[in-house]
Every structure is written in C-alpha cells, then in structure tokens.
C-alpha cells in the first residue's frame, strides 16, 4: 500500500503498510472521512512523522487521540493550530515549562516548533470523528503506533520518552529503559494536575540534561 509518509519512516515501517490490519484501518479511515467530519485534516494525519524524520527523533511524547473540536487538531499530540485557544492540558504543559525552566508561556499552542527540533508528538490514535472522543480507537491505529514505539526503542539509542498518565505509561511499557530515558508522571489534564500528579515533574529540564549528557542539542521548549 502506498502511504504518503516521510521517507525515512516509510523505510522503517514498510512492513506495517502491507499488513492486513493496516489495509483494514485505512479503508475505515477513508470511509469515515468521506461520510463524517473528522480530524485532523486528511493531509495532516501523518504530520508528526512529516515534521520529525526517524533519525531526527530525540524525544517522544505520547498522547491518546486528536482533539475533536473544529480547527483544533493539527496532527501533533497536545498541539493546536495557530490562533486556536490552548486546551487545558496544553495550558498546564506550558505552566510546568514556565516553572521548570523559567520560559515565558507562548502566545500560540502550535507545537510544530518542538517537532522541528526532534520531538515526535505521537498520538496513539491518529484520527477522530468530530465531537466524538475515542471514536477511532480500536480500529488499528494503536497497533501501528505500537510498532512506531517498538521500532524507535529497538533501532535508536539515547532517546527520551515522556509518558504522561496511565494510558501513555501502558503504551510505553515495553520501551528499553537500558537504552533510553523514560520519564513518567500524571497527565497534564486539570483532573490529574490539580491533584498533584503533574506539576513539579520537571520533565523538560530532565530531558534537556539527558540530551546534553548524550551530546545532543537540548530542546528549546
């Protein structure tokens, strides 16, 4: 199957695209996009990969599924398009960065600037029906993104995986922590953050410290 995805990822994940589950998944997604409003826009479904090639990845952040409100999802987990109000989880991410690194909270919630530096902003499910959270779960995306995580864990060294919340922790349970730094905390959503499970995790300074120790350029959060 000819999937339009960044070439280095196509090379690494080529076996997935010909698999029966993936063909079934794509047939489902195409049907959904033809019959229902879905997000992100079709040309942004693989945006996380298009912005961050396989060899460029330094950090992996795992989300669940795209925002399901009009104009929000841009194909990168936790990110919204320019001019769109920041969702509560993203507000809390920026608050932690501000506290951790004394970086001012930006005007935009568009995280493409992170992706361009090597942060793979990976949702477990890459598409969603409008106003229906989780509507494209258990259709095959999770198997595909498991393969992405497994491939990075096996074929790269010295990456940082940020696992926020129970879902991400489960998703990243097989990452080889002997080769990579795995940082876990509560989810940045208000429900978790306001109970003390998010703020103060200092994941952003810890990430940059590890990258510097491994002779990699730190992220400008």
């Amino acid at each position: 199957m000819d999937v339009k995805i960044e070439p280095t990822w196509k090379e690494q994940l080529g076996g997935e695209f010909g698999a029966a589950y993936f063909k079934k998944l794509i047939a489902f997604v195409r049907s959904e996009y033809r019959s229902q409003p879905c997000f992100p826009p079709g040309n942004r479904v693989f945006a996380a990969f298009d912005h961050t090639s396989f060899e460029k990845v330094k950090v992996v952040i795992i989300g669940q599924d795209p925002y399901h409100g009009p104009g929000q999802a841009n194909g990168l987990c936790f990110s919204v398009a320019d001019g769109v109000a920041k969702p509560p989880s993203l507000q809390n991410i920026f608050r932690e960065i501000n506290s951790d690194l004394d970086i001012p909270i930006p005007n935009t919630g568009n995280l493409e600037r992170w992706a361009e530096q090597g942060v793979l902003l990976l949702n477990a499910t890459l598409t969603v029906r409008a106003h229906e959270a989780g509507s494209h779960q258990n259709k095959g995306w999770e198997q595909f993104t498991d393969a992405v995580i497994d491939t990075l864990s096996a074929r790269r060294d010295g990456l940082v995986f940020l696992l926020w919340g129970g879902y991400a922790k489960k998703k990243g349970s097989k990452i080889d922590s002997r080769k990579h730094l795995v940082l876990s905390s509560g989810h940045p959503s208000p429900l978790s953050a306001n109970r003390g499970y998010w703020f103060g995790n200092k994941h952003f300074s810890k990430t940059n410290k590890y990258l510097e120790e491994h002779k990699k350029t730190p992220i400008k959060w």
Side-chain angles (χ1 to χ4, degrees), residues 1-219:
M1 177 176 288
D2 185 29
V3 175
K4 293 181 179 179
I5 192 171
E6 195 277 334
T8 62
W9 284 107
K10 195 164 192 175
E11 180 181 354
Q12 293 292 331
L13 301 170
E16 301 302 311
F17 302 132
Y21 87 88
F22 194 85
K23 293 177 182 179
K24 187 176 179 180
L25 165 64
I26 294 303
F28 166 77
V29 170
R30 286 174 175 165
S31 175
E32 284 283 287
Y33 272 73
R34 283 195 298 265
S35 62
Q36 306 283 342
C38 294
F39 302 117
N43 64 351
R44 301 283 304 176
V45 171
F46 293 109
F49 305 94
D50 295 334
H51 282 286
T52 314
S53 65
F54 180 78
E55 294 299 335
K56 190 177 179 180
V57 174
K58 294 189 285 190
V59 181
V60 182
I61 299 177
I62 301 173
Q64 195 156 350
D65 61 355
Y67 296 122
H68 52 83
Q72 289 183 301
N74 67 352
L76 309 176
C77 74
F78 294 105
S79 176
V80 292
D82 289 318
V84 176
K86 304 181 193 78
S89 291
L90 185 55
Q91 291 180 37
N92 286 338
I93 289 170
F94 286 142
R95 285 176 62 192
E96 176 59 24
I97 293 171
N98 174 253
S99 172
D100 186 14
L101 294 168
D102 199 28
I103 294 174
I105 294 173
N107 293 323
T108 179
N110 191 335
L111 302 181
E112 288 180 358
R113 64 189 183 281
W114 292 5
E116 297 295 345
Q117 297 177 73
V119 182
L120 182 67
L121 295 159
L122 181 67
N123 275 315
T125 302
L126 299 188
T127 57
V128 69
R129 187 184 292 187
H131 309 297
E132 295 185 36
S135 50
H136 287 185
Q137 291 178 3
N138 302 315
K139 301 295 183 180
W141 279 130
E142 293 90 345
Q143 185 172 344
F144 174 71
T145 51
D146 277 348
V148 172
I149 295 167
D150 290 347
T151 299
L152 284 167
S153 178
R155 299 180 186 173
R156 294 289 312 280
D157 293 296
L159 303 183
V160 182
F161 290 84
L162 302 180
L163 310 181
W164 300 337
Y167 185 89
K169 291 173 188 175
K170 184 177 180 181
K171 184 83 175 167
S173 62
K174 295 181 181 178
I175 297 165
D176 188 348
S177 59
R178 297 167 299 178
K179 297 172 57 182
H180 308 287
L181 176 64
V182 181
L183 297 174
S184 301
S185 80
H187 195 275
S189 68
L191 183 63
S192 174
N194 293 337
R195 290 179 175 175
Y197 302 128
W198 165 257
F199 292 117
N201 65 30
K202 298 188 180 298
H203 278 189
F204 305 96
S205 60
K206 290 175 181 177
T207 293
N208 281 352
K209 182 175 183 288
Y210 181 85
L211 292 175
E212 289 176 326
E213 289 172 350
H214 287 75
K215 313 301 182 186
K216 298 179 183 181
T217 305
I219 305 299

